[in-house]
Amino acid sequence: MSIPPEIFMLPPHSEATLQQQIQQIVSDAIMSGRCVAGEKMPSSRRLAAQLGVSRITVTLAYTELVSNEYLVSRDRSGYFIADTAPKRPSFREVDKSQSGGVDWDGILARRPQPRQNIARPPNWPDFKYPFIYGQSDPELFDHRNWRDCSLRAVGRRDFDTLTRDHYQRDDPMLIEYILRHILPRRGIRAEPDEILVTMGAQNALWMIAQLLLSEGQKAVVENPCYPGLRQIFDQMGFVASSIDVDEDGLPPDLIPADANVVFTTPSHHCPTNITMPLDRRLAMLEGALRDGYIIVEDDYEFEMSFLSSPAPALKSLDQAGSVIYVGSFSKSVFPGLRLGYVVAARPMIEEMRKLRSVVLRHPPSHIQRTAAYFLSLGHYDAQITRMARSYAKRRAVMEDCIKEFGLTLGTREVHGGSSFWMRAPEGVDTMKLALDLRADSVLIEPGNAFFARRAPDASHYRLAYSSIDPGRIRQGLELVAERLDEAAT
């Protein structure tokens, strides 16, 4: 007796091909135990009629399931669930009320400390006006060429590169491109053994903190600053010293002489977008030489400078090797790529490479080689140009609407990045404002997550425009202005 075709239904919203969807629903039915070994599958004709697809699509899916040992084909009899089909393991339920269970509260040696994160619901794409940072517009991404590069990376020519364990080494093609094309744009010169590929900037900052900071040492961070950096310190049980930024960023004269490491975003401060002027950069480098501290430069979003060329990186002015430079492709390619890099003195890179090998060896070879092709074939440059053109138009709309609705900038006017740092009227709690706006299908980012605990701030918020339809910007900001007026009265 055949399994009734009615138990199989295609998922309503799937980006997979029909053949892949059929493979998935059949394998899920087998893994869940709804279909068991020896049972006969519906004929390709009957299943095709049930799913509303062509018979050849079902036949191809069945063939693939046979090769993966989910099904077996019997001459003139059809397809059957294989005895070798994978099965989802079952686990005996444990009565947690019984004594002798594991005391996880007592066992866990180190747990991340709770800290206020940026308020962003996981279903943010469902909101009509998502003024949130760090999410790309899929319409601007070059899907076709990325797919072609991915296929090229798994081709016969490159397959040995993917299948071998590279231990601590990175993809030489990617390193070469970063050396010859990315770093020169920031005025940086480096050798191959002075670069390390990371799983994004967060991974880079974590490794740097692990290697440079221990009990009794002093780290300095900007206030406000990137929340993920403080989360790293919290997980380590480390307390950093915060220095308030002003209209020119981090004041170097406030860095204490006993500082060991200074974390900064000079070219594009997070979250205000301020660019640190040259005299301050030189003063910071002089302080590093005089007092012996290391500077960690997070150079995110340098590509998004609309009215002038981006300022050279702090690392480009470094003659003594005091600066560790952190870069990322997450904003310029897409956030889910999770690919970044560090440029530093050779001894630091060697130690980071050792630490990385303990945790993950190296970022996946396929991702590295795909990115290398995407970069080297010119697709990256084309995408940056396309994004910059689109973002410049969106920024102009944002600027006009901010003025029209009387919204207040939190800093002096800046000309880069994909967001605005805003200040609410006195007495308005931007966390409550953000929650109230969700009822209007509007998402903003309250600023409290960016500030140190010793200096909580509820008056600032961030408006980003990388993921919002430009045709909805005006109406969305009008709703923000209306809620601000209500909260201020």
Side-chain angles (χ1 to χ4, degrees):
M1 184 175 179
S2 296
I3 299 169
E6 290 77 18
I7 74 166
F8 298 106
M9 290 183 292
L10 294 177
H13 304 291
S14 175
E15 297 181 0
T17 65
L18 289 172
Q19 182 181 329
Q20 291 169 338
Q21 292 179 52
I22 294 169
Q23 292 173 227
Q24 184 65 51
I25 61 176
V26 172
S27 61
D28 283 348
I30 296 171
M31 293 281 285
S32 66
R34 289 186 289 122
C35 299
V36 299
E39 288 188 311
K40 184 179 181 181
M41 289 292 295
S43 68
S44 58
R45 187 186 303 278
R46 290 186 66 199
L47 188 56
Q50 160 68 18
L51 301 178
V53 301
S54 68
R55 186 178 178 185
I56 187 62
T57 300
V58 176
T59 301
L60 291 172
Y62 277 179
T63 302
E64 188 66 24
L65 287 162
V66 169
S67 67
N68 291 331
E69 298 186 353
Y70 283 91
L71 303 180
V72 292
S73 175
R74 298 175 184 168
D75 289 343
R76 300 189 180 186
S77 297
Y79 293 90
F80 294 80
I81 309 297
D83 293 335
T84 57
K87 296 179 179 63
R88 187 169 291 137
S90 59
F91 298 95
R92 180 174 58 87
E93 288 293 326
V94 177
D95 184 357
K96 297 179 182 178
S97 65
Q98 294 180 355
S99 60
V102 176
D103 178 17
W104 288 107
D105 287 337
I107 288 176
L108 290 169
R110 178 182 288 175
R111 287 186 274 183
Q113 297 298 310
R115 179 178 284 275
Q116 179 67 54
N117 290 318
I118 299 173
R120 180 187 302 161
N123 65 328
W124 69 263
D126 297 335
F127 287 75
K128 192 174 181 180
Y129 310 103
F131 293 103
I132 61 172
Y133 179 79
Q135 303 299 320
S136 60
D137 184 344
E139 296 299 319
L140 299 178
F141 182 62
D142 191 351
H143 298 86
R144 182 178 63 84
N145 281 320
W146 179 265
R147 182 177 62 249
D148 290 346
C149 291
S150 181
L151 291 173
R152 185 169 181 172
V154 295
R156 184 175 298 277
R157 175 180 174 182
D158 297 280
F159 199 67
D160 285 348
T161 300
L162 305 186
T163 56
R164 293 174 184 163
D165 189 336
H166 292 277
Y167 300 100
Q168 298 180 1
R169 293 180 293 115
D170 293 313
D171 188 305
M173 182 186 294
L174 181 58
I175 294 296
E176 178 71 13
Y177 190 87
I178 293 172
L179 275 172
R180 306 299 174 216
H181 297 275
I182 300 295
L183 296 184
R185 299 178 188 182
R186 309 301 295 124
I188 299 172
R189 297 179 63 182
E191 297 298 325
D193 57 0
E194 296 174 324
I195 300 177
L196 182 79
V197 177
T198 67
M199 297 291 283
Q202 181 81 0
N203 174 231
L205 294 171
W206 178 83
M207 286 192 286
I208 291 168
Q210 293 291 324
L211 289 171
L212 296 185
L213 298 176
S214 60
E215 186 176 355
Q217 292 185 303
K218 178 175 288 187
V220 172
V221 298
E222 299 160 330
N223 190 51
C225 78
Y226 170 53
L229 181 58
R230 287 202 175 93
Q231 290 171 346
I232 290 171
F233 295 149
D234 289 344
Q235 192 275 333
M236 295 173 60
F238 188 88
V239 179
S241 299
S242 297
I243 296 178
D244 294 341
V245 300
D246 59 22
E247 292 294 297
D248 288 323
L250 177 66
D253 57 316
L254 297 183
I255 298 174
D258 59 347
N260 298 105
V261 187
V262 176
F263 293 83
T264 182
T265 51
S267 296
H268 191 82
H269 174 252
C270 175
T272 67
N273 302 323
I274 288 170
T275 297
M276 184 184 291
L278 179 61
D279 59 341
R280 282 202 172 180
R281 299 181 187 221
L282 294 175
M284 188 178 293
L285 290 170
E286 290 172 4
L289 280 175
R290 181 184 63 249
D291 300 326
Y293 58 76
I294 295 296
I295 301 170
V296 180
E297 176 183 18
D298 185 355
D299 194 31
Y300 81 106
E301 228 183 22
F302 74 83
E303 306 93 342
M304 299 301 137
S305 182
F306 303 121
L307 297 184
S308 62
S309 299
L314 184 64
K315 178 68 174 174
S316 70
L317 306 172
D318 176 30
Q319 300 298 316
S322 302
V323 178
I324 299 173
Y325 177 89
V326 177
S328 173
F329 296 112
S330 294
K331 302 295 185 295
S332 54
V333 181
F334 56 86
L337 181 61
R338 308 311 313 150
L339 206 62
Y341 51 95
V342 175
V343 183
R346 191 172 292 108
M348 180 65 185
I349 293 297
E350 288 176 356
E351 294 305 313
M352 290 187 71
R353 199 177 298 279
K354 293 175 185 176
L355 177 60
R356 189 190 66 176
S357 69
V358 172
V359 180
L360 51 84
R361 293 265 180 138
H362 55 74
S365 298
H366 177 247
I367 295 297
Q368 290 196 56
R369 181 53 58 95
T370 300
Y373 277 130
F374 192 76
L375 295 163
S376 63
L377 294 175
H379 306 315
Y380 173 77
D381 290 328
Q383 176 157 314
I384 292 298
T385 300
R386 184 167 54 252
M387 289 172 63
R389 185 167 54 245
S390 176
Y391 285 4
K393 292 178 181 178
R394 296 183 194 189
R395 188 175 187 88
V397 175
M398 292 280 290
E399 289 174 339
D400 290 343
C401 292
I402 286 171
K403 293 176 182 177
E404 178 183 353
F405 298 122
L407 302 177
T408 304
L409 293 172
T411 63
R412 60 178 167 81
E413 190 172 355
V414 295
H415 305 296
S418 59
S419 65
F420 289 86
W421 185 241
M422 309 296 295
R423 188 176 71 250
E426 186 176 353
V428 174
D429 185 334
T430 55
M431 174 59 80
K432 183 178 185 303
L433 173 69
L435 295 175
D436 290 342
L437 279 166
R438 292 187 187 185
D440 302 322
S441 200
V442 178
L443 290 179
I444 66 169
E445 296 177 340
N448 55 348
F450 297 91
F451 288 87
R453 287 195 181 99
R454 66 162 178 79
D457 184 289
S459 64
H460 288 84
Y461 63 102
R462 183 166 66 175
L463 296 173
Y465 50 85
S466 61
S467 57
I468 186 171
D469 186 320
R472 294 180 175 177
I473 289 176
R474 189 181 188 282
Q475 187 174 359
L477 290 183
E478 185 175 13
L479 291 168
V480 173
E482 290 174 357
R483 286 284 185 176
L484 279 170
D485 288 342
E486 293 173 4
T489 55

